[in-house]
Amino acid sequence: MNKPIVSSAAKGVFINNKWVPGASGKTVPVVAPAEGQVFAAITAGNAEDVDRAVAAARAAAEGGAWSRFSATERGRLLSKFALLIADHAEELALIEARDTGKPLKQARADMVATARYFEYYGGAADKVHGDTIPFLPGFFVTTEHVPYGVTAHVIPWNYPAQMFGRTVAPALAMGNACVVKPAEDACLTPLRLAELAAEAGFPEGALNIVPGLGEEAGAALSSHRDIDFISFTGSPEVGVLIQTAAARNHIGCTLELGGKSPHVVFGDADLDTATSVISNAMVQNAGQTCSAGSRVLVEKAAYDTVVQALADKFSKLTAGTPEMDRDLGPVINATQKKRIEGFFARAEDQGVPVLASGQIAEGTPAEGFFVAPRVYGPVPRANELATLEVFGPVLAVLPFDDEADAVRLANGTDYGLMAAVWSHDGNRALRVSRGIKAGQVYINAFGAGGGIELPFGGMKKSGHGREKGFAALHDCSQIRTTITKHG
Ligand code: NAP
Ligand code: MG
């Protein structure tokens, strides 16, 4: 797969439906993780580019053509964009697979989900109702959800197309004009999606993209004086910078900062199904999924059975290039690979047992950033493999004593993004699920990243605000209350 599938020339920054040259004249090389080779370049957007993009968005949101679209018209446009994404799904999947290294089947599924974001929010755009509120005699009070104006979106590299859909679709549905800073490591699909949005008919300034470095384009965007809201997904460290920038500007933000999501497995569950779902979900996107279920908490009596099943499954998992379409691809870059190998080395020093390792397929380029998946157990409760987000294909298994211990253990990290409870005792499953502090809890199922209809977001240090579902529409708009005295 060494032929370029996208131009190696950086196209610029996307403002007012056109590519314009970046002000710095600089570019950032783009590396294919499966090959370890540069195959494209993006423009290194800077503060001047961000200024132009925000001004274009402001003009669109206030007085421009975009501000005159009715909710129904916005919805139709989003639906049209969804169809255009579906029409270009294969082209987009090939770009995404090369840019991120993920297996083609995963990239294809991601494009289905990306189109679905615009389909869902296209349908929802004109169904966001306000309230009427009983008040004093002689008064009539209504509320409506109005757009913020200009929304800023800083997104990560793990699911570039899906993350774009997740954050941009509801913001556009509500009538905001968006400025997006995608991740330097993988952003070619968001750049292509911007072109398709223009083709679908979004008016000038409704959607603008400034690619480039986080410290430069990302920092300039998140601290810009003329943005009204920020949506961020990424690391807790950058989340602090984003929230600080928002605070300085007196604006709100949504933060999605990852997790260390637990599966709580009781002995009466369907252990075959549970262990299959758990191992497949863990290696989805090479474990680089904020909602990955990376801790498996198992009732002591079932520990040996579960560990055996997980070890069997992990030993058969294989990493390969996108075209090999194996269980997982490489991780995103050399730094991530080194970071994951650091966890492995420390686990070895600390004597944490490896239950099984998968393999790297023969014929994968030696320069690619491949990591063979691993399952560890029993992992001591305070060990970093049990508490920190590895963001790689690594599963930690820990035994628990009873229901109370399971809930304590499930809640025993700083994070609270997702969880799953596996048990055929319905009362217990519900009790335990309601005891876990997490924004989404599955019972006898697990879907890392799935379900566009389902409100999603963190409790505790996983962040705040909600994406997906109608909750996202409320999060990227504000309530205006109109109080009329009619006497
Ligand atoms: P990151 O730095 O937080 O990247 C997320 C986004 O923020 C990227 O677009 C990034 O730009 C941008 N950014 C970086 N510094 C910024 C700044 N000073 N101001 C504004 N924006 C800035 O994450 P990462 O370095 O790619 O990954 C590190 C770790 O974060 C991973 O190991 C993982 O644990 C976690 N992570 C979590 C998620 C998630 O879904 N919750 C996603 C990705 C990573 P660049 O493109 O220049 O990086
Ligand atoms: Mg970074």
Side-chain angles (χ1 to χ4, degrees), residues 62-426:
E62 283 176 23
W66 183 230
S67 67
R68 292 191 294 276
F69 271 57
S70 69
T72 307
E73 287 167 337
R74 291 197 303 268
R76 281 195 195 121
L77 196 47
L78 265 82
S79 305
K80 196 171 162 203
F81 186 25
L83 292 175
L84 210 50
I85 295 169
D87 283 349
H88 289 78
E90 189 61 15
E91 174 204 339
L92 288 161
L94 288 170
I95 298 172
E96 180 100 331
R98 191 151 188 209
D99 204 9
T100 61
K102 63 182 71 181
L104 267 169
K105 61 186 170 214
Q106 170 75 54
R108 289 187 177 119
D110 285 3
M111 296 316 131
V112 172
T114 305
R116 173 81 184 119
Y117 275 108
F118 289 94
E119 177 186 47
Y120 177 83
Y121 287 109
D126 60 2
K127 295 166 191 72
V128 184
H129 299 169
D131 291 320
T132 57
I133 300 176
F135 193 48
L136 301 171
F139 281 84
F140 181 66
V141 180
T142 58
T143 64
E144 60 184 322
H145 295 269
V146 296
Y148 274 107
V150 177
T151 51
H153 306 258
V154 180
I155 61 175
W157 42 259
N158 48 352
Y159 294 86
Q162 277 211 60
M163 290 291 167
F164 173 88
R166 185 168 102 185
T167 182
V168 162
L172 289 173
M174 291 309 294
N176 297 287
C178 303
V179 181
V180 182
K181 206 304 276 179
E184 75 193 69
D185 279 307
C187 71
L188 298 178
T189 45
L191 297 179
R192 180 71 184 112
L193 285 164
E195 294 176 341
L196 293 176
E199 197 178 321
F202 281 92
E204 285 191 351
L207 173 65
N208 309 278
I209 305 207
V210 183
L213 303 178
E215 311 84 80
E216 208 166 349
L221 177 60
S222 53
S223 62
H224 198 285
R225 297 283 300 163
D226 202 30
I227 59 167
D228 301 306
F229 187 78
I230 314 178
S231 162
F232 172 77
T233 298
S235 62
E237 298 73 25
V238 177
V240 172
L241 301 178
I242 297 281
Q243 188 151 357
T244 305
R248 290 216 172 93
N249 230 342
H250 306 291
I251 62 171
C253 62
T254 292
L255 300 181
E256 201 271 81
L257 308 176
K260 187 72 185 178
S261 299
H263 288 275
V264 180
V265 184
F266 288 93
D268 66 355
D270 174 349
L271 298 179
D272 237 17
T273 303
T275 50
S276 288
V277 170
I278 290 169
S279 65
N280 290 339
M282 189 61 240
V283 295
Q284 177 184 317
N285 218 43
Q288 304 166 116
T289 304
C290 45
S291 49
S294 52
R295 283 190 300 153
V296 186
L297 317 179
V298 190
E299 191 172 22
K300 261 189 184 143
Y303 184 78
D304 290 343
T305 314
V306 168
V307 150
Q308 189 56 54
L310 287 172
D312 281 354
K313 289 174 169 59
F314 261 69
S315 60
K316 294 185 190 114
L317 292 169
T318 309
T321 62
E323 316 79 70
M324 289 176 182
D325 231 353
R326 308 302 282 265
D327 303 296
L328 64 155
V331 297
I332 193 73
N333 57 30
T335 310
Q336 282 296 113
K337 180 171 152 79
K338 218 169 139 206
R339 185 170 173 272
I340 296 162
E341 287 168 350
F343 276 98
F344 291 169
R346 292 188 294 279
E348 191 175 339
D349 286 350
Q350 292 150 5
V352 184
V354 181
L355 293 165
S357 293
Q359 48 260 306
I360 297 168
E362 263 181 51
T364 56
E367 303 79 17
F369 312 123
F370 293 92
V371 176
R374 281 195 190 180
V375 53
Y376 285 92
V379 176
R381 293 181 176 205
N383 188 273
E384 62 178 11
L385 283 177
T387 59
L388 299 184
E389 186 179 55
V390 178
F391 230 58
V394 188
L395 194 59
V397 193
L398 294 81
F400 67 78
D401 297 325
D402 55 23
E403 197 178 308
D405 190 37
V407 173
R408 215 171 19 247
L409 195 50
N411 287 330
T413 73
D414 283 347
Y415 291 108
L417 191 58
M418 299 258 294
V421 183
W422 298 87
S423 172
H424 278 172
D425 175 343

